[in-house]
Amino acid sequence: MIALGLEGSANKLGIGIIEHDIETGQVNILANVRHTHITPPGTGFLPRDTATHHRAHIIPVIREALKTANVKVKDIDVICYTKGPGMGAPLISVAVVARTLALLWNKSIVGVNHCIGHIEMGREITGANNPVVLYVSGGNTQVIAYSEHRYRIFGETLDIAVGNCLDRFARILNLPNDPSPGYNIEQYAKRGNKFIELPYTVKGMDVSFSGILSFIETVANEQLSTGQCTPEDLCFSLQETLFAMLVETTERAMAHIESKEVLIVGGVGCNLRLQEMMAQMAEQRGGKVFATDERFCIDNGIMIAHAGLLAFRTGFVTPIEKAICTQRTDEVYVAWRDAN
């Protein structure tokens, strides 16, 4: 069975084509094509402009994916698209294309939860069995574990996502958005050697980042011009503080469900320092960390195609009149996994 996946919940437009061999269980990635809306340094991306980007590029990117996969329209069994969560205008732009193709090509359509796309792709690529999942991106920060056909949220951000915190601080420093603000902060942090104490806000299983961002912006305005610290020092301090909070809440979830595995997914999951800190914690518990590279941790269409095809194989389809954009991780019934 072959699925076409369309992802456009933020500034990455991704088209993926995947094949599941029903007899052998083999999963083959046939195409994973992306086009990113990149804005000037010191700026973010707005929903309207991002939607315009997606509308302008989605047809050429779909054609490129079909060519790369050497797949014809008649070979596709189902069209999968990101149902949410994400930015409204970009999501709707991609959903309209998914619905249109489903009608034009007479194909079934499956709406996919963005987070579950990340999780299922991560499980497939890494071989993680039943991990605690740390989902960290520009729009989401959640600690998740699976139970009784649902991905249960153990903890999450109370305000902004960790990736949004990093992105907004990159704008304060006027760092480039190419290839991504978070990547450039990671490179700056490697050269930092002075740790500046920042607020550490963990509330039970939840975290809060907005106060940290306000605090470090004040420090930047007061101390950079006087030479008391460098941009590299601030990036280093911010990463160490944010990631320590994430490691703490993830470890608590591991203890609760008695898991030895951690799977890091989402765009911030590419950060090698986060992976290193999480691995140190997991090793102390006799566990292991699983993570993917930028092909799969950054938003992509292949994860939507994969999760959508898993659901489609259980008989699930999204009625065309309900192919809209709204969802939360723990609302989705995960029929393709065992109950425990």
Side-chain angles (χ1 to χ4, degrees), residues 42-328:
T43 65
F45 51 90
L46 300 174
R48 182 178 61 184
D49 297 337
T50 307
T52 300
H53 166 271
H54 290 1
R55 289 196 297 269
H57 293 281
I58 191 166
I59 300 303
V61 175
I62 290 173
R63 286 175 173 156
E64 182 182 350
L66 290 170
K67 183 178 179 180
T68 300
N70 193 26
V71 165
K72 306 295 183 184
V73 170
K74 64 180 177 62
D75 301 323
I76 296 172
D77 295 288
V78 61
I79 294 173
C80 312
Y81 76 99
T82 302
K83 193 173 183 180
M87 300 172 71
L91 277 172
I92 291 170
S93 295
V94 174
V96 167
V97 174
R99 291 197 298 268
T100 303
L101 292 180
L103 292 170
L104 284 173
W105 296 348
N106 193 29
K107 304 291 183 182
S108 297
I109 189 169
V110 172
V112 177
N113 177 273
H114 183 83
C115 171
I116 290 178
H118 274 298
I119 294 172
E120 293 300 348
M121 199 71 240
R123 290 180 63 236
E124 176 63 36
I125 295 298
T126 65
N129 180 33
N130 190 29
V132 169
V133 179
L134 175 64
Y135 173 32
V136 279
S137 68
N140 300 277
T141 301
Q142 296 177 335
V143 178
I144 300 164
Y146 176 81
S147 177
E148 296 181 347
H149 294 293
R150 293 191 190 274
Y151 284 107
R152 312 287 178 170
I153 298 172
F154 274 62
E156 58 190 325
T157 177
L158 296 172
D159 39 55
I160 62 174
V162 63
N164 185 251
C165 182
L166 293 168
D167 291 352
R168 287 164 66 175
F169 186 61
R171 297 207 292 270
I172 292 168
L173 296 181
N174 205 38
L175 299 184
N177 290 323
D178 190 11
S180 71
Y183 174 82
N184 292 318
I185 281 195
E186 181 181 3
Q187 305 317 307
Y188 268 57
K190 292 176 182 177
R191 302 191 294 270
N193 51 35
K194 177 183 178 182
F195 180 78
I196 298 164
E197 188 170 348
L198 302 174
Y200 185 95
T201 315
V202 174
K203 300 181 179 182
M205 284 297 296
D206 296 326
V207 292
S208 174
F209 300 122
S210 59
I212 301 171
L213 179 62
S214 299
F215 186 92
I216 198 170
E217 181 176 6
T218 301
V219 173
N221 291 335
E222 293 176 351
Q223 297 189 17
L224 283 178
S225 59
T226 61
Q228 294 175 261
C229 66
T230 66
E232 289 82 357
D233 294 334
L234 292 176
C235 291
F236 166 70
S237 303
L238 182 61
Q239 273 200 171
E240 294 297 301
T241 303
L242 300 182
F243 295 168
M245 293 162 58
L246 296 173
V247 170
E248 177 186 336
T249 52
T250 303
E251 181 176 18
R252 198 173 293 127
M254 289 179 71
H256 182 78
I257 70 168
E258 300 180 348
S259 173
K260 297 292 185 181
E261 298 179 337
V262 178
L263 173 63
I264 307 176
V265 300
V268 181
C270 294
N271 190 295
L272 297 180
R273 178 55 181 158
L274 174 59
Q275 293 180 20
E276 179 185 26
M277 292 173 68
M278 196 67 71
Q280 290 172 351
M281 177 275 290
E283 287 168 8
Q284 292 171 8
R285 301 183 61 85
K288 185 178 180 181
V289 168
F290 297 85
T292 62
D293 59 30
E294 61 88 25
R295 293 173 299 169
F296 305 109
C297 65
I298 295 174
D299 291 350
N300 60 85
I302 202 70
M303 69 184 195
I304 303 303
H306 179 58
L309 191 49
L310 288 173
F312 182 67
R313 286 168 53 184
T314 69
F316 177 82
V317 295
T318 301
I320 197 76
E321 65 274 11
K322 294 186 178 180
I324 54 175
C325 297
T326 176
Q327 259 186 352
R328 181 174 160 86

